[in-house]
Amino acid sequence: MDVTNRIEQALTDAIGLAAVTGCPPRLAEAMRYAVFPRGARVRPRLCHSVAAACGEDNPAATAAAGAALELMHCASLVHDDLPCFDGAATRRGRPSVHKAFGEPLAVLTGDALIVLAFQTIARVNCAPDRLAALTMTIGQAVGVPFGIVAGQAWECESEINLAHYHRSKTGALFVAATAAGAASAGADPEPWRMVGEKIGEAYQVADDLRDAAADEDEIGKPVGQDVANGRPSAVTELGIDGAIFRLQGLVRGAIEAMPPCENGHELRSLIMSEAKRLVPAKLAQSAA
Amino acid sequence: MDVTNRIEQALTDAIGLAAVTGCPPRLAEAMRYAVFPRGARVRPRLCHSVAAACGEDNPAATAAAGAALELMHCASLVHDDLPCFDGAATRRGRPSVHKAFGEPLAVLTGDALIVLAFQTIARVNCAPDRLAALTMTIGQAVGVPFGIVAGQAWECESEINLAHYHRSKTGALFVAATAAGAASAGADPEPWRMVGEKIGEAYQVADDLRDAAADEDEIGKPVGQDVANGRPSAVTELGIDGAIFRLQGLVRGAIEAMPPCENGHELRSLIMSEAKRLVPAKLAQSAA
């Protein structure tokens, strides 16, 4: 089975836990709706590539770790879309969960997906010390003090710490994706964190570039939002060319940060192809 | 250290994870506010008593399990109080979290507490197979298909399954409290589930009795809500005397369901004293 199918299968298996008699059927439906159809599945793909680089020996553990990362990502989207945050009416071209199922079920869907991520890891048959490493890695990426929930909470402070904000809100799940990939293969996750950190920053810069220079059709959401909302952005800070230069440096940095490993070519190509995919078409030439 | 202090210390240690530079300070404050000052800590006390009954050999594991149960309970109260659910303005005689900190932070506080519960278990130094058992037990009690989140979600269905509703919304954390107490001591959690189930039902009946027959001063919240809202209740179903009889049967059943264990007297006294504590004063004589 290729990686795409492994990722979808693992998510289908995880969500299947809700598809039993005795589980409220609309909650089960809302959870499925929040996770399918698939997005880019960036974090699980990264996790799988790192596991392969580390000589993956327990594919079920990799798949569970990848699914847990994606479930956490989906949970954060559901809660971030709530009226008390972004109040987003649509997500990926269709109604957001709270629009489709109501606000109470949106809150509960996010909660249930967070718990399901941990259940998914705990259910896998792996060496018990890997379970501890995976649970810690996923917990750190989502909770306090530096996970995505903490990142989102910076928006509720009167003074925002931008470095912590970005590192937590966007970076934490990328760091977890590389660390969990290593842990699921029984490798030491620590040296892989820096790789995830660079990749997370690269996505942030690419996102800023897309907001500044892509067409709305290309990225499927309104552009120019950073300037319109006075949000900090690599483009307003460095200009288009400067941001592209920064992106290239981060991509190179991510590859250079990879610790010695058996089988790193898949991860290297993933990083390179993502860097290409995410740069807006009209900038692709100057980025090449 | 006595059990009360052990429980508070474990919760203080857990919440301390948020009290570091780089964690958004208002999130840290809201999390602390949601957990302290203490409520009755019923679930961790039950967990500690079962661990003692099973010959507790790793006090840190018991304490972590107890803290995780209470963090989950507090998280559910924070989310249940949100305007899209009960919209409760007060909790334990002071503003609810969303009133004190705003709705966005209330959503994030609940999320962070759920994650913190799993982090708390994963950080404890215990035999790795206990970690798996504890993570599964806590996950089942909170998530899908039958945990407290699923229980709350029954309120969003057009047809409610009352048996599943009560078992999930109230019962699941009691079952987890007994199962986690056993698991933290390295005992088989399964035979302890029935004890938690009976105790959970007993609390439900006691709650119905208090709503029907206590004074508002005695229980610190409005009474007569079940009848006013047409909610199912053991008292409307069985009458006061019938409900007391039912409660007594459940208390006896919980004690009889205890599997053979080294040191069960503490748990037996806890069950008996709770049964007394929870019956409204004016009914205490007929219940004796």
Side-chain angles (χ1 to χ4, degrees):
Chain A
M1 214 190 299
D2 69 6
V3 166
T4 301
N5 286 325
R6 286 177 66 194
I7 292 170
E8 297 312 303
Q9 188 59 53
L11 287 166
T12 303
D13 290 348
I15 289 284
L17 200 57
V20 299
T21 308
C23 185
R26 291 191 70 232
L27 174 64
E29 199 190 334
M31 290 171 75
R32 184 174 297 278
Y33 183 93
V35 175
F36 300 102
R38 71 190 184 88
R41 309 296 198 211
V42 172
R43 294 155 194 82
R45 280 164 65 206
L46 187 53
C47 172
H48 277 261
S49 297
V50 173
C54 295
E56 178 184 57
D57 63 352
N58 184 339
T62 315
L69 291 159
E70 187 69 13
L71 293 170
M72 289 299 193
H73 175 57
C74 293
S76 78
L77 298 180
V78 174
H79 279 184
D80 287 0
D81 283 345
L82 284 170
C84 69
F85 294 109
D86 299 346
T90 59
R91 163 75 59 186
R92 291 179 192 154
R94 54 182 193 158
S96 54
V97 172
H98 72 92
K99 280 289 174 192
F101 294 88
E103 210 177 321
L105 266 183
V107 172
L108 296 171
T109 296
D111 292 354
L113 290 174
I114 293 173
V115 178
L116 186 60
F118 289 106
Q119 289 173 289
T120 301
I121 296 173
R123 288 165 83 202
V124 84
N125 193 2
C126 71
D129 54 330
R130 291 197 199 177
L131 169 64
L134 286 173
T135 306
M136 289 286 270
T137 299
I138 302 287
Q140 278 172 11
V142 180
V144 290
F146 308 128
I148 54 177
V149 169
Q152 180 71 18
W154 277 111
E155 296 184 8
C156 306
E157 298 288 331
S158 52
E159 273 180 57
I160 190 165
N161 180 321
L162 271 181
H164 283 302
Y165 173 62
H166 283 306
R167 194 167 296 174
S168 300
K169 187 170 174 179
T170 314
L173 268 187
F174 284 97
V175 172
T178 52
S184 71
D188 180 7
E190 288 312 314
W192 286 94
R193 290 184 174 272
M194 179 61 81
V195 181
E197 213 166 283
K198 301 268 181 204
I199 295 175
E201 281 185 59
Y203 271 96
Q204 186 65 53
V205 174
D207 214 46
D208 294 348
L209 276 166
R210 287 144 62 85
D211 184 68
D215 296 326
E216 196 158 325
D217 286 353
E218 189 181 354
I219 62 171
K221 62 179 180 182
V223 295
Q225 295 297 298
D226 291 340
V227 172
N229 295 305
R231 278 200 293 247
S233 144
V235 175
T236 47
E237 190 193 330
L238 306 166
I240 294 273
D241 288 347
I244 290 177
F245 187 74
R246 181 87 193 276
L247 176 62
Q248 290 165 330
L250 287 165
V251 168
R252 217 171 27 246
I255 291 174
E256 284 167 6
M258 284 169 60
C261 57
E262 287 180 37
N263 188 13
H265 69 276
E266 191 181 316
L267 176 59
R268 273 188 293 271
S269 5
L270 176 69
I271 295 173
M272 301 296 288
S273 68
E274 281 294 286
K276 269 201 197 109
R277 180 175 75 88
L278 292 173
V279 169
K282 68 171 80 145
L283 301 178
Q285 201 140 25
S286 55
Chain B
M1 214 189 298
D2 69 5
V3 167
T4 302
N5 286 325
R6 286 177 66 194
I7 292 170
E8 297 312 303
Q9 188 58 54
L11 288 166
T12 302
D13 291 348
I15 289 284
L17 200 57
V20 300
T21 308
C23 186
R26 290 191 71 231
L27 174 65
E29 197 190 335
M31 289 171 74
R32 184 175 299 276
Y33 183 92
V35 175
F36 299 101
R38 72 191 185 86
R41 309 294 198 213
V42 172
R43 295 153 194 82
R45 279 164 64 205
L46 187 53
C47 172
H48 277 260
S49 297
V50 173
C54 294
E56 178 184 57
D57 63 351
N58 184 339
T62 315
L69 291 159
E70 188 69 12
L71 294 170
M72 290 298 193
H73 176 57
C74 293
S76 78
L77 299 180
V78 174
H79 279 185
D80 287 1
D81 282 346
L82 284 170
C84 69
F85 294 109
D86 299 347
T90 59
R91 162 76 60 187
R92 290 178 193 154
R94 55 182 193 159
S96 54
V97 173
H98 72 93
K99 280 289 174 192
F101 294 88
E103 212 177 321
L105 265 183
V107 172
L108 296 171
T109 296
D111 292 354
L113 291 173
I114 293 173
V115 177
L116 187 60
F118 288 107
Q119 291 173 288
T120 301
I121 295 173
R123 287 167 82 203
V124 85
N125 192 3
C126 72
D129 53 330
R130 291 196 199 179
L131 169 63
L134 286 173
T135 307
M136 289 284 271
T137 299
I138 302 288
Q140 279 172 12
V142 181
V144 289
F146 309 128
I148 54 177
V149 169
Q152 181 70 17
W154 276 111
E155 296 183 8
C156 306
E157 299 287 332
S158 52
E159 273 181 57
I160 191 165
N161 181 320
L162 271 181
H164 283 302
Y165 172 63
H166 283 307
R167 195 166 296 174
S168 301
K169 188 171 174 180
T170 314
L173 268 186
F174 283 98
V175 172
T178 51
S184 72
D188 179 7
E190 288 313 313
W192 286 94
R193 290 184 174 272
M194 179 62 81
V195 181
E197 214 165 284
K198 301 269 181 204
I199 295 175
E201 281 184 59
Y203 271 96
Q204 186 65 55
V205 175
D207 213 45
D208 294 348
L209 275 166
R210 286 144 63 86
D211 184 69
D215 296 326
E216 198 160 322
D217 285 352
E218 187 180 356
I219 63 171
K221 62 180 181 183
V223 295
Q225 296 297 299
D226 290 341
V227 171
N229 296 303
R231 279 200 293 247
S233 143
V235 175
T236 48
E237 190 194 329
L238 305 168
I240 294 273
D241 288 345
I244 290 178
F245 186 74
R246 180 86 192 276
L247 176 61
Q248 291 165 329
L250 287 164
V251 168
R252 216 169 28 245
I255 291 173
E256 284 166 7
M258 284 169 61
C261 56
E262 286 179 39
N263 187 12
H265 69 274
E266 190 181 316
L267 176 59
R268 273 188 293 271
S269 4
L270 176 68
I271 295 172
M272 301 296 289
S273 68
E274 281 294 284
K276 267 200 199 113
R277 180 176 74 88
L278 291 171
V279 168
K282 69 172 80 145
L283 301 178
Q285 199 139 27
S286 55

